[in-house]
Structures are given as C-alpha cells and as structure tokens.
Amino acid sequence: MYNTLIRFLLALCLFSSVVVGQAVELTVDATKPGPTISRHLFGQFAEHLGTGVYEGIWVGPDSKIPNTRGIRNDVVGALKDLKVPNVRWPGGCFADEYHWRNGIGVKRGVTLNPTWGGVIEPNTFGTHEFMDFVDQIGSEAFLSINLGSGTVNEAADWIEYMTSEQQTDLAKQRAANGHPKPYEVPFLGIGNESWDCGGNMSPDFYLSQLKMYARFVRNFDPAQQGDKKMLRIAVGPGGTERRFVEWTETVMKGWKARQWSWDMEGLSLHNYTVINWEKKHSATDFGETEYAEILKKTLEINAMLDTHIGIMDKYDPEKKIALVVDEWGAWYAPTPGTNPGFLVQQNSQRDAVLAALNINIFARRADRIRMANIAQMVNVLQAMILTDKEKMLLTPTYHVFKMYVPFQDATLVPVTFNAGTYAHAAISLPRVDAIAAKGKDGKLWISITNLDANNGVEIDLKTLGMNARSASGEALTSAKVDSINTFDQPNTVMPKPISASARNDKLTLTLEPRSVTVVSVDQ
C-alpha cells in the first residue's frame, strides 16, 4: 500500500510538471500577411578569437581531421543544415587591427592578436580561405573593414582586390592567388564599435570617417550593381546610455542630410545579455534564479530596440535603412581553466530559450531589423558548435536555429495570446512567447517558447483563414535549466517530435517546461 501511494505521488508530480493551470489561447490570423522575416536575421559571426577560426573552422589541408582545402568537413556539414545566410568576418574588435594583405599569397604575415589573448595570428586563414568557407556552407560574406587602425586606401584596395573584373594589378594578384573571377561581397561593415574598441571615436568624428569610407570603398563587380549592390553597414549603438542615443542621432541625421557622393544601407546595433560585466554569470551549474535573471536581462533588448528604431524612424520614416543586430547573445564567465581571452563558455537549455526569445523579438520588428548575427559561430560565446580536436558537438542554440529554418524569408502573420506570468522570487516574466509566419513552402509555421522553468502549459491553438486539422514539428527541452551537451554526452539536449490533432474544433499542444517548440499547421 505504501509503495503504491509513493508511485501515485511521483506520477502526480510528473504530470503536474507538464500541465498546470488554465490553458493559453493562441490565435493566428493567416489572413493578414506582414513583413518578410529576412533570412539574414539568422546570420552568424566568426571572429579571429580563441579557437573560433583556428580549430573550429580551419585545421589546415594536412590535418588528420577530415577537411576540404583545410576547412573541417564536420563543421561545414552542420552549418549547411542551418542554411546560414551570411557570415560576419574577421571581427569584431579584431577587424580594426586586421590588415588583409597579411592573409593572402604563399607567404603570410605572422602577427599578434592583442585583443584576444595576445596569441600569435598566423594569418593562414585569410580572404581566400574565408570566401572558400562561405562557399562551402552555401552562405554569403559580410566583411568588416579596418576603420580603426587602417586607412581608406587599404580598405578600398581590399574590395577592389576581391571584386574587380577588370584586369587591374590587384585583380591580377587575386587571380595569381587562385581566384580569377571576382568574389561576391554583399555586405560591408564600415568599422566595428568605433565608440569603444574600434577607436573610441566621438559620433561626429565617426560620421566624418563613414562618409569617406562609404565614398571610396567601392564594389567593382558588374554583377553587384543596381538592385544587387553591396550594402554598407555603419557602426551603430551598443546600449541605451546617452552616448549611444547621441550616436544613433548623429549618424541618422548625417545620413538624412547626405549629398550624392555617399550613402549607407544599414546601421548596426550590438547587445549582449550580461548582468554584471565585472562578475559575469556562470554558463553551467546554475539554478532557477540565474535562469530567470538572464532571461529578464535578455528581454530588455525590447526597450533598447524601440529607443533606436524610434530615432531611425524620425529621419527615415520609409525604413530604407536596415537595423542590423550584428552582435547579440549571452556572455558568461569563461570556462575555468581556459584562456580568459578566448571567451570559451558552455551552452545550456537556458541559452536555447534565450535564443528563441531574441529571434522572436527581431522577427516582430522585421520591417526594420533585416539582418542579425549571433556571437559567435564556433567555440566562442553562444556558439552553434563546439569542437575538441577531432570531436564536434551541436549546442542547444544550434538546435533552435535549425528548428527556425522555415522562418527564413517567411511572411510574418499576427499572433495574439495571453502570455501569462512566470514568477520566481522577485522576478516576473511572461510565461509564453510566440510568433507565426507563412513559410516559402506555403505552410503556416508557429514557434512557441515556454519560459516557465517548472511547469508545462497547454496551448489551445486557433487559426483564422484556415481550418487547422493537425500540427507537427519539434520541441526542445531538457531535464534541467542548466542541461548541456558534452563530448561524452552530446545528445543530452536534443529536439523531439511533437504533434497534435484537432478535436472539437480545437487544436491543443502540450508544451514541456523551459522549452522551445516549432510546428507547422496542416489543414
């Protein structure tokens, strides 16, 4: 009798962790198409930092790790599955100390990387290797030029070297180095964090530099003119402090008053989820309090975006200038025992929820936010992939990006729901977050995130403009908020199938705690 009672109580506890309280009614109106969710919102970032490039991407053609022209095959295969739209390179703060001529030809310049660990930079992964990597994963190049320690002439030469079809000396040099045809360079970042590591510039001084670089750093590829022209992305804000508000105001006001000789197509914005820069949270072995604190912090990007979008709307009501969130993600204390300058951190179920929340925030502002790059791709910060010599694993954040692939270039449609409340200690958060879109495949796709660390939730799904008969997809959750994938146990956090059928004119999805769910709806 006692054992039977214990089993009953355990079963009751397990059930209560799946569904608690009143169901959430979620209505999707498929009759009201909104803006396109650009595939470029799912961009990546690969900086010369720690083992992000060397080991993470590049092992060299003589490595025993399977590779194609020095680029590791397992990483390429994993990234191809994400349909990565663009890769930002070579930085970051590294970009404003990078001199491209060190990274071409047979004899490479061996330099230092003083920003990230003070280690040797062999420059064996340079322009041609990066463009080969981008081609292998089926992506596009987003180059950051050196505005900090470089010159206008150096940057202009780099883009001429890459894009000139006419037989200039630089084009001939590119051909001699193995690539006769021009490279496609769709995106050009004009500096990086010029208000800080990129030169500690004032807004007015940066604007004067922007005008010169935007004027003289040209793309000469005939195929990249007109509608396919290279998009120039100016340095934008990194917070909501007064100096950043002044920065956005100065750049946008300068653009509004521009003359024919210069222009830009995007303004960057950087935001990391960090509560205390001096004492960062741990990436592992944390509890519900740290889980809730980090999610509360990451949701503060809403106010930051609204502040700067408001300034952009004042000078650009037609939304010609894209807001490009080209650095975002969680930044934790480095893994103990690693080089602090390598920014090595694990990636947990908390980060999966964080990633989904940020993607949803960007998607809801898709009319202005048309590009974003998570930091970073491999082995650094909130990475998609971790490697250890010949080993490779996929992180919870990787799985979220893969689940969201159907949202690339999909059409946003309105979603209404009562988010409810997830409360822990003094922290109060929305319990549920969701977006919906009509995919290029014609299907209706819905992403629902359950922030509640302890309790599941039932979603009563209603669709306007279609008769929903069933839904199927994947859900990502884990045993704990700090569950991680390791090289010994790489499949601890993995998506699992989820499905539901309509009953009594209602489609009900049961979501696990601390979960990200993506489904398509069939009619």
Side-chain angles (χ1 to χ4, degrees):
M1 180 67 178
Y2 177 79
N3 290 337
T4 301
L5 178 62
I6 292 296
R7 284 195 294 270
F8 171 77
L9 291 174
L10 287 172
L12 183 62
C13 290
L14 288 172
F15 176 78
S16 65
S17 71
V18 175
V19 180
V20 170
Q22 187 176 1
V24 173
E25 290 191 358
L26 189 150
T27 302
V28 180
D29 190 348
T31 68
K32 296 179 179 178
T36 298
I37 303 171
S38 172
R39 70 186 190 279
H40 290 292
L41 287 185
F42 302 89
Q44 301 286 331
F45 178 25
E47 184 169 6
H48 286 239
L49 198 172
T51 58
V53 170
Y54 299 109
E55 184 189 308
I57 295 172
W58 175 263
V59 292
D62 298 328
S63 174
K64 293 181 180 179
I65 298 173
N67 68 85
T68 300
R69 294 180 295 279
I71 297 166
R72 51 188 303 163
N73 295 341
D74 53 357
V75 169
V76 167
L79 293 173
K80 286 177 71 173
D81 288 342
L82 294 186
K83 300 188 185 300
V84 176
N86 71 83
V87 182
R88 182 172 180 248
W89 174 88
C93 293
F94 179 83
D96 280 301
E97 295 185 280
Y98 181 68
H99 300 283
W100 67 273
R101 285 185 170 88
N102 288 323
I104 62 170
V106 176
K107 184 175 175 57
R108 304 290 173 98
V110 177
T111 59
L112 291 174
N113 187 341
T115 299
W116 303 118
V119 297
I120 289 288
E121 169 55 59
N123 285 299
T124 48
F125 188 88
T127 300
H128 291 263
E129 291 76 21
F130 171 68
M131 297 304 288
D132 186 15
F133 168 66
V134 166
D135 184 63
Q136 286 190 38
I137 67 173
S139 188
E140 294 183 310
F142 176 7
L143 294 184
S144 293
I145 56 176
N146 182 347
L147 184 139
S149 66
T151 65
V152 176
N153 186 64
E154 179 184 20
D157 281 355
W158 192 16
I159 305 307
E160 180 185 333
Y161 174 87
M162 296 186 70
T163 66
S164 178
E165 184 182 63
Q166 299 186 59
Q167 293 302 295
T168 66
D169 287 347
L170 287 168
K172 291 177 181 177
Q173 189 177 6
R174 181 193 68 232
N177 288 332
H179 205 273
K181 293 183 178 180
Y183 284 117
E184 290 188 12
V185 182
F187 308 104
L188 190 76
I190 302 179
N192 170 79
E193 295 186 3
S194 301
W195 31 261
D196 198 351
C197 71
N200 199 22
M201 301 175 187
S202 69
D204 287 328
F205 182 79
Y206 173 74
L207 179 61
S208 71
Q209 301 301 297
L210 171 63
K211 292 176 181 179
M212 291 190 295
Y213 279 81
R215 167 63 176 157
F216 295 112
V217 183
R218 302 180 178 94
N219 189 312
F220 292 98
D221 183 0
Q224 284 202 264
Q225 309 301 322
D227 293 340
K228 293 186 177 181
K229 68 180 179 181
M230 180 178 69
L231 305 185
R232 293 155 293 184
I233 299 165
V235 171
T240 54
E241 298 94 319
R242 181 178 176 181
R243 67 180 180 126
F244 291 123
V245 171
E246 291 176 350
W247 188 282
T248 302
E249 184 87 26
T250 298
V251 174
M252 290 303 301
K253 184 177 181 180
W255 173 81
K256 182 70 173 180
R258 71 196 183 282
Q259 302 298 316
W260 66 268
S261 56
W262 77 277
D263 207 342
M264 68 183 197
E265 289 74 38
L267 183 75
S268 75
L269 181 146
H270 290 182
N271 182 74
Y272 287 99
T273 301
V274 183
I275 295 175
N276 186 336
W277 284 97
E278 302 302 319
K279 190 178 180 181
K280 300 182 186 74
H281 276 50
S282 172
T284 57
D285 300 322
F286 56 86
E288 186 175 353
T289 297
E290 292 80 7
Y291 168 83
E293 286 175 343
I294 289 294
L295 295 189
K296 181 177 184 294
K297 185 66 178 179
T298 208
L299 289 174
E300 291 178 7
I301 195 176
N302 278 295
M304 179 183 177
L305 293 171
D306 290 344
T307 293
H308 294 288
I309 288 174
I311 298 170
M312 296 178 75
D313 286 347
K314 180 170 66 171
Y315 294 103
D316 176 31
E318 296 178 346
K319 300 184 185 295
K320 294 179 180 179
I321 305 299
L323 184 59
V324 178
V325 189
D326 56 9
E327 287 189 31
W328 69 271
W331 192 322
Y332 303 122
T335 300
T338 64
N339 185 329
F342 284 9
L343 306 187
V344 179
Q345 65 184 45
Q346 253 291 357
N347 192 302
S348 68
Q349 179 64 23
R350 174 179 65 182
D351 298 309
V353 174
L354 184 150
L357 291 176
N358 279 272
I359 293 170
N360 292 356
I361 288 168
F362 303 155
R364 281 191 282 265
R365 295 167 174 83
D367 59 342
R368 177 66 81 177
I369 303 177
R370 301 195 283 274
M371 191 169 178
N373 300 78
I374 191 169
Q376 292 188 11
M377 179 179 278
V378 187
N379 290 338
V380 177
L381 297 177
Q382 192 173 345
M384 304 290 111
I385 294 168
L386 300 179
T387 66
D388 180 13
K389 299 180 177 61
E390 75 285 352
K391 299 178 183 178
M392 183 196 78
L393 67 81
L394 308 177
T395 68
T397 299
Y398 173 94
H399 294 305
V400 169
F401 269 68
K402 188 173 180 181
M403 291 163 66
Y404 269 80
V405 165
F407 287 88
Q408 294 189 17
D409 285 338
T411 301
L412 189 72
V413 296
V415 179
T416 56
F417 58 95
N418 179 6
T421 301
Y422 159 53
H424 175 75
I427 301 171
S428 181
L429 299 169
R431 185 184 183 194
V432 171
D433 189 52
I435 62 168
K438 197 72 172 294
K440 292 191 299 181
D441 56 6
K443 294 183 178 180
L444 178 65
W445 290 89
I446 304 171
S447 172
I448 311 171
T449 301
N450 180 13
L451 285 72
D452 196 315
N454 305 301
N455 303 307
V457 62
E458 272 195 359
I459 303 293
D460 286 346
L461 177 63
K462 297 180 180 179
T463 55
L464 304 180
M466 64 179 294
N467 182 25
R469 299 179 59 185
S470 63
S472 60
E474 292 183 314
L476 184 71
T477 189
S478 62
K480 301 181 298 179
V481 292
D482 64 342
S483 294
I484 61 174
N485 291 335
T486 67
F487 293 105
D488 293 330
Q489 295 181 307
N491 299 320
T492 299
V493 184
M494 288 283 289
K496 297 179 180 178
I498 186 172
S499 61
S501 297
R503 182 178 297 176
N504 298 326
D505 297 323
K506 185 172 64 175
L507 192 62
T508 300
L509 289 167
T510 302
L511 308 185
E512 297 287 337
R514 57 197 171 270
S515 64
V516 179
T517 300
V518 174
V519 296
S520 63
V521 178
D522 295 317
Q523 59 181 338

